[in-house]
Amino acid sequence: AQSVTQLDSHVSVSEGTPVLLRCNYSSSYSPSLFWYVQHPNKGLQLLLKYTSAATLVKGINGFEAEFKKSETSFHLTKPSAHMSDAAEYFCVVSDRDSGYSTLTFGKGTMLLVSP
Amino acid sequence: DARVTQTPRDKVTEMGQEVTMRCQPILGHNTVFWYRQTMMQGLELLAYFRNRAPLDDSGMPKDRFSAEMPDATLATLKIQPSEPRDSAVYFCASGPGTGRTDTQYFGPGTRLTVL
């Protein structure tokens, strides 16, 4: 069985400071991991995904995430927050190697960015 | 820029009424997923289809919910009769497959309010 834990329900940063959103996963297989972002009253947009290639994954809008198997983590980072980054972020795991794979979503982390 | 579209974007209805939500997946995608998002439960998978055939609808209350794909360009989710506890945002997503590495692309959602 697969599961995802997002360690913080809310993270507050100031504009221009680094962002760290934490995610730990549990998986029976070699997982794929995703980060999605949801702006208010919008659908979910893919930020980046890890699929067993490079462990450091770069995504859109300056975000990146590092897959660490030993720590079962996939934390999302950005060097400098922008006001437009304020949104809810979901860490997602998918791990079936055969048959049909489905996504398991974390509970989400709300990122608040202050001027 | 290919996108998943959903209609209606907002729906307010009275308890007991039938509700139909529609989704147009991205052309060429052969998998379609229906999710429900609430504050309490987060994102829940309701059902998913591959090549128009239902693969799994175990997340859906069977007595009142039904999901179909009449053709490759249309997926529907019906609730009959609707209840206040069905109030949520319903997302449709489509993808190129159901493998572990396949990305799901989300529509903007239908916000349902049942009075």
Side-chain angles (χ1 to χ4, degrees):
Chain A
Q2 57 192 29
S3 67
V4 173
T5 302
Q6 291 185 243
L7 297 158
D8 306 293
S9 60
H10 292 79
V11 169
S12 295
V13 300
S14 299
E15 192 175 21
T17 64
V19 175
L20 170 63
L21 304 183
R22 298 181 295 166
C23 171
N24 286 99
Y25 69 91
S26 172
S27 170
S28 302
Y29 303 92
S30 297
S32 290
L33 292 155
F34 307 76
W35 276 98
Y36 281 85
V37 60
Q38 184 178 27
H39 287 91
N41 300 314
K42 300 286 188 184
L44 283 80
Q45 180 185 16
L46 180 70
L47 273 180
L48 50 81
K49 71 177 183 180
Y50 165 78
T51 59
S52 76
T55 56
L56 182 62
V57 182
K58 295 189 183 300
I60 62 172
N61 300 333
F63 284 94
E64 62 181 39
E66 186 171 8
F67 173 73
K68 292 187 176 180
K69 186 175 180 179
S70 61
E71 299 176 10
T72 61
S73 69
F74 190 58
H75 302 335
L76 182 69
T77 60
K78 182 173 180 178
S80 176
H82 192 273
M83 294 295 290
S84 60
D85 295 328
E88 190 160 24
Y89 292 78
F90 294 92
C91 183
V92 184
V93 65
S94 173
D95 77 350
R96 290 283 296 276
D97 274 334
S98 62
Y100 303 113
S101 182
T102 59
L103 302 183
T104 298
F105 285 78
K107 294 291 187 186
T109 298
M110 185 68 71
L111 177 64
L112 307 169
V113 183
S114 56
Chain B
D1 185 23
R3 299 186 183 199
V4 176
T5 59
Q6 290 185 249
T7 56
R9 292 294 309 276
D10 283 279
K11 176 73 175 178
V12 180
T13 191
E14 302 271 337
M15 182 174 63
Q17 297 297 305
E18 177 178 303
V19 175
T20 299
M21 291 170 270
R22 294 178 175 80
C23 168
Q24 182 172 5
I26 293 173
L27 190 65
H29 283 182
N30 65 1
T31 56
V32 173
F33 304 80
W34 283 105
Y35 292 88
R36 176 170 62 184
Q37 186 179 37
T38 61
M39 289 291 291
M40 293 298 294
Q41 301 296 329
L43 270 157
E44 304 173 277
L45 178 64
L46 297 175
Y48 63 102
F49 293 77
R50 184 179 184 185
N51 294 326
R52 297 176 55 199
L55 289 187
D56 190 343
D57 61 2
S58 60
M60 217 161 56
K62 297 293 192 306
D63 56 337
R64 298 183 299 107
F65 284 60
S66 62
E68 296 179 344
M69 278 201 76
D71 60 61
T73 64
L74 177 64
T76 63
L77 180 66
K78 290 186 181 181
I79 308 174
Q80 170 62 26
S82 57
E83 297 180 2
R85 59 181 167 153
D86 301 329
S87 297
V89 181
Y90 291 81
F91 288 103
C92 173
S94 73
T98 52
R100 141 183 95 77
T101 63
D102 291 318
T103 299
Q104 292 182 23
Y105 297 86
F106 284 76
T110 294
R111 181 177 299 276
L112 175 64
T113 303
V114 183
L115 303 174

